[in-house]
């Protein structure tokens, strides 16, 4: 059914077995597409008293200080429910907030145009997405430069190619050569054509969010009724810390909620800058800002899926620059996970680093960020591949390097068997105290799949590595991304759907797209 109520003819679903669902890409041998489950108990730094103390602090912020909502309709909705409104400041009682949080589903599924690429958010599931929103990009051959559509398309192709990347987040680099009024149209067209994974819409004005919903509906071959019956896409909103939600973000979340589409609510709280210098204080402020917006979403559409996003880190107190992958970042993420479970909310985390190039610093900060997400029990990891410079640059090499790390974490999460064959008593008996296990029957039956096999690491000895040119990790990553892009083939898309999608983009461009300040 269209917006005007007319019934749309049913069409074949778009999608199919595109990309590397089974890990048989020609460029690299990678793990097949899967939705990993984290088998480990989460790390919980706080005892019961600590959880209770942070909860009380969160509720006091909401009750006594309030959160500013810079959206007149949001204020009307909250006032109608008995919240105390002073100008744009909203104070809400804890029992009221907890009642709304109780409506949030603990888990949900998002189904893109290819149903085989659906993702599950919540429980022990853990899914990963590409870097989102940097204005610059870089690679070893062309250096650092402003984002453009060609580079945007390259990163979308990498997002589609790697099975360890489950969803296409925001623009992996901003294509600054496309005017802001129509950028969302070209970008979502490219995304929906070059990927068949879950896509995101920026909450930057009603035209953008409404256009993207229509494009996702068209790409899926859906009626509006079908679109609204289940999550098909999502948005992510950030508060304007401290203690404020702006108009465009709230407007986008409310519009998606009315269509039953999920929102990830992610305050960006840097301890010592936009939040208290203490970890507990920064997390408490982050939670208060998030729970206020989540409460609004539930008032607009009770039971609509939402996710609490943790993005609490610290700044370098010498310069004020953001820092990521720090001990404080790790603990803040883990505590945020502990509090998310307390409130019954799915958790989003991020793979962030402050490094300026794809070097050792980038590797260890990202490894710590990813480990904090895993140990926190995160369900959704934003910026999992490609992030540099505190989010100001998307790196081709870092994308490949991060996918190696993410894929290793997915392998780490695979269940460990404990059956009789896994205990291998007979093999130990066969080898005894004087043999080795290289050629015993137990090893020969399993050696091809026994261990994780990296696509980027070089495990050769020093002499062989030197004779092969002493190629370091970023250079090996360059060779791989170039090979992947050279061999890339878009996933299948019904020609009629592709035609309708292009026609919609052309019409909206003629109409001017979205208003801007330019």
């Amino acid at each position: 059914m269209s917006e005007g109520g007319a019934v749309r003819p049913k069409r074949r679903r778009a999608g199919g077995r595109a990309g590397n669902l089974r890990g048989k890409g020609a460029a690299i041998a990678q793990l097949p597409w899967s939705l990993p489950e984290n088998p480990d108990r989460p790390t919980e730094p706080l005892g019961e008293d600590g959880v209770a103390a942070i909860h009380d602090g969160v509720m006091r912020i909401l009750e006594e200080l309030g959160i500013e909502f810079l959206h007149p309709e949001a204020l009307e909705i909250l006032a109608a429910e008995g919240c105390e409104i002073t100008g744009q400041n909203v104070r809400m009682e804890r029992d009221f907030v907890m009642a709304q949080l109780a409506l949030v589903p603990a888990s949900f599924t998002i189904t893109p145009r290819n149903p085989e690429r659906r993702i599950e958010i919540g429980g022990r599931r853990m899914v990963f997405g590409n870097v989102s929103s940097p204005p610059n990009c870089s690679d070893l051959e062309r250096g650092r430069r402003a984002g453009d559509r060609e580079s945007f398309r390259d990163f979308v192709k990498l997002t589609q190619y790697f099975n360890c990347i489950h969803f296409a987040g925001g623009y992996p680099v901003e294509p600054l050569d496309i005017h802001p009024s129509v950028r969302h149209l070209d970008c979502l067209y490219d995304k929906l054509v070059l990927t068949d994974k879950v896509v995101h819409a920026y909450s930057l004005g009603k035209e953008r969010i409404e256009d993207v919903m229509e494009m996702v509906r068209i790409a899926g071959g859906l009626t509006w009724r079908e679109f609204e019956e289940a999550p098909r896409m999502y948005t992510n909103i950030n508060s304007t810390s401290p203690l404020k939600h702006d108009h465009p973000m709230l407007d986008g979340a409310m519009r998606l909620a009315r269509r039953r589409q999920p929102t990830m609510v992610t305050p960006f709280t840097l301890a010592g800058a936009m939040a208290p210098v203490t970890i507990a204080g920064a997390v408490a402020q982050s939670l208060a800002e998030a729970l206020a917006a989540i409460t609004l979403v539930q008032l607009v559409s009770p039971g609509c899926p939402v996710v609490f996003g943790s993005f609490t880190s610290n700044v370098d107190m010498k310069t004020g620059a953001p820092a990521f992958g720090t001990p404080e970042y790790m603990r803040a993420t883990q505590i945020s996970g502990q509090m998310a479970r307390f409130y019954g909310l799915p958790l989003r985390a991020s793979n962030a680093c402050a490094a300026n190039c794809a070097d050792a610093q980038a590797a260890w900060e990202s490894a710590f960020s990813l480990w904090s997400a895993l140990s926190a029990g995160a369900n959704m990891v934003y910026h999992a591949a490609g992030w540099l410079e505190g989010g100001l640059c998307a790196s081709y090499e870092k994308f490949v390097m991060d996918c190696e790390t993410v894929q290793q974490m997915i392998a780490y999460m695979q269940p460990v068997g404990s059956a009789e064959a896994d205990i291998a008593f007979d093999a130990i008996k066969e080898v005894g105290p004087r043999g080795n296990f290289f050629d015993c029957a137990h090893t020969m039956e399993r050696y091809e799949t026994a261990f994780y096999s990296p696509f980027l690491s070089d495990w050769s000895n020093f002499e062989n590595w030197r004779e092969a040119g002493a190629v370091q990790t970023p250079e090996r990553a360059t060779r791989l991304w170039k090979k992947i892009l050279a061999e890339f083939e878009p996933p299948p898309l019904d020609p009629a759907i592709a035609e309708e999608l292009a026609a919609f983009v052309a019409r909206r461009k003629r109409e001017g797209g979205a208003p801007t300040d330019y």
Side-chain angles (χ1 to χ4, degrees):
M1 164 179 310
S2 69
E3 284 192 276
V7 175
R8 291 169 49 86
K10 291 289 289 181
R11 294 177 301 188
R12 178 173 66 82
R13 301 276 188 197
R17 301 187 184 280
N20 295 292
L21 286 166
R22 283 158 181 75
K24 297 180 180 179
I28 64 170
Q30 59 175 320
L31 293 179
W33 168 272
S34 68
L35 297 180
E37 289 192 21
N38 185 350
D40 295 351
R41 293 187 181 94
T43 298
E44 299 196 331
L46 300 177
E48 289 185 8
D49 290 347
V51 171
I54 288 185
H55 169 62
D56 185 61
V58 171
M59 294 300 135
R60 287 191 63 198
I61 293 171
L62 294 174
E63 290 177 326
E64 300 175 29
L65 304 180
I67 306 293
E68 291 194 7
F69 284 76
L70 309 186
H71 194 293
E73 185 183 0
L75 292 172
E76 292 174 5
I77 292 170
L78 292 162
E81 295 294 331
C83 296
E84 186 176 345
I85 312 293
T86 305
Q88 295 175 317
N89 180 271
V90 180
R91 292 187 291 279
M92 49 187 77
E93 296 294 329
R94 65 182 65 197
D95 289 345
F96 169 73
V97 173
M98 295 302 288
Q100 304 313 311
L101 297 183
L103 302 175
V104 177
S107 62
F108 59 95
T109 299
I110 311 179
T111 304
R113 69 174 179 88
N114 179 2
E116 291 191 46
R117 298 287 196 177
R118 67 183 181 278
I119 60 175
E120 298 172 21
I121 310 295
R124 291 187 173 271
R125 291 291 190 197
M126 192 172 187
V127 294
F128 301 86
N130 58 280
V131 62
S132 301
S133 305
N136 305 295
C137 62
S138 69
D139 64 71
L140 290 184
E141 296 187 348
R142 292 171 289 183
R144 187 179 186 271
R145 58 197 183 278
D148 57 21
R149 189 174 186 181
E150 180 183 2
S151 297
F152 170 87
R153 288 168 60 88
D154 284 346
F155 281 105
V156 173
K157 292 173 183 178
L158 293 173
T159 297
Q160 171 67 14
Y161 179 85
F162 280 101
N163 289 330
C164 63
I165 302 301
H166 299 95
F167 61 93
Y171 308 162
V173 66
E174 285 280 343
L176 300 179
D177 55 343
I178 305 176
H179 193 274
S181 63
V182 296
R183 186 178 298 164
H184 67 290
L185 297 168
D186 285 336
C187 286
L188 265 296
Y189 177 83
D190 287 345
K191 273 188 168 186
L192 292 168
V193 170
L194 296 175
T195 76
D196 57 3
K197 297 181 180 181
V198 168
V199 299
H200 155 280
Y202 284 110
S203 290
L204 295 172
K206 72 174 185 177
E207 290 83 6
R208 291 180 177 86
I209 207 81
E210 295 288 350
D211 284 345
V212 174
M213 282 194 285
E214 173 70 349
M215 292 175 74
V216 171
R217 183 192 67 76
I218 291 171
L222 304 167
T223 65
W224 273 112
R225 179 176 296 173
E226 290 170 326
F227 179 86
E228 295 173 7
E229 284 175 349
R232 308 287 181 179
M233 54 174 287
Y234 73 98
T235 193
N236 180 87
I237 68 170
N238 306 108
S239 53
T240 306
S241 301
L243 307 180
K244 187 182 299 180
H245 285 286
D246 68 19
H247 187 286
M249 295 282 185
L250 290 174
D251 194 74
M254 293 164 65
R255 288 177 184 277
L256 278 185
R258 293 187 181 99
R259 300 282 194 185
R260 305 294 290 177
Q261 303 302 305
T263 294
M264 290 55 183
V265 183
T266 311
F268 184 13
T269 43
L270 288 174
M274 301 104 73
V277 74
T278 55
I279 295 175
V283 170
Q285 180 187 306
S286 172
L287 281 162
E289 293 171 0
L291 298 190
I294 291 171
T295 294
L296 174 65
V297 169
Q298 295 309 302
L299 294 175
V300 171
S301 182
C304 185
V306 291
V307 172
F308 164 54
S310 169
F311 206 78
T312 297
S313 193
N314 57 291
V315 297
D316 179 354
M317 297 304 291
K318 299 173 184 176
T319 66
F324 301 102
T326 63
E328 295 79 15
Y329 179 89
M330 295 172 71
R331 279 306 194 199
T333 304
Q334 291 167 344
I335 293 170
S336 295
Q338 193 171 0
M339 298 306 298
R341 287 184 291 279
F342 175 80
Y343 292 117
L345 299 172
L347 176 69
R348 184 216 120 168
S350 295
N351 174 14
C353 72
N356 294 308
C357 63
D359 61 359
Q361 178 185 334
W364 77 59
E365 288 179 350
S366 283
F368 287 146
S369 293
L370 284 170
W371 179 251
S372 71
L374 188 146
S375 61
N379 304 114
M380 189 178 201
V381 181
Y382 238 64
H383 312 298
W387 167 296
L388 276 183
E389 296 182 38
L392 294 178
C393 188
S395 162
Y396 285 67
E397 286 77 26
K398 181 70 162 29
F399 198 107
V400 176
M401 292 165 62
D402 283 335
C403 283
E404 175 70 271
T405 308
V406 169
Q407 189 171 259
Q408 291 196 31
M409 288 201 164
I410 291 173
Y412 164 86
M413 286 188 276
Q414 292 176 355
V416 175
S418 57
E420 183 177 352
D422 298 306
I423 302 302
F425 178 85
D426 289 341
I428 297 170
K429 178 181 178 181
E430 174 190 339
V431 172
R434 294 179 178 82
N436 67 71
F437 289 84
F438 277 113
D439 60 355
C440 77
H442 187 270
T443 300
M444 298 305 293
E445 292 168 0
R446 295 166 175 79
Y447 76 93
E448 290 185 308
T449 58
F451 307 128
Y452 173 78
S453 180
F455 61 80
L456 183 60
S457 298
D458 184 342
W459 288 353
S460 59
N461 62 35
F462 177 81
E463 289 74 17
N464 289 339
W465 171 76
R466 181 176 58 189
E467 289 177 8
V471 181
Q472 298 188 29
T473 302
E475 287 78 13
R476 293 197 299 274
T478 298
R479 294 176 181 178
L480 284 181
W481 68 253
K482 291 176 70 175
K483 188 175 182 182
I484 290 168
L485 294 181
E487 298 177 354
F488 181 82
E489 294 183 6
L493 181 61
D494 186 306
I497 289 177
E499 183 180 350
E500 184 177 357
L501 197 60
F504 175 81
V505 170
R507 175 174 66 81
R508 288 293 294 123
K509 284 185 173 183
R510 290 194 301 271
E511 294 170 351
T516 69
D517 295 329
Y518 297 91

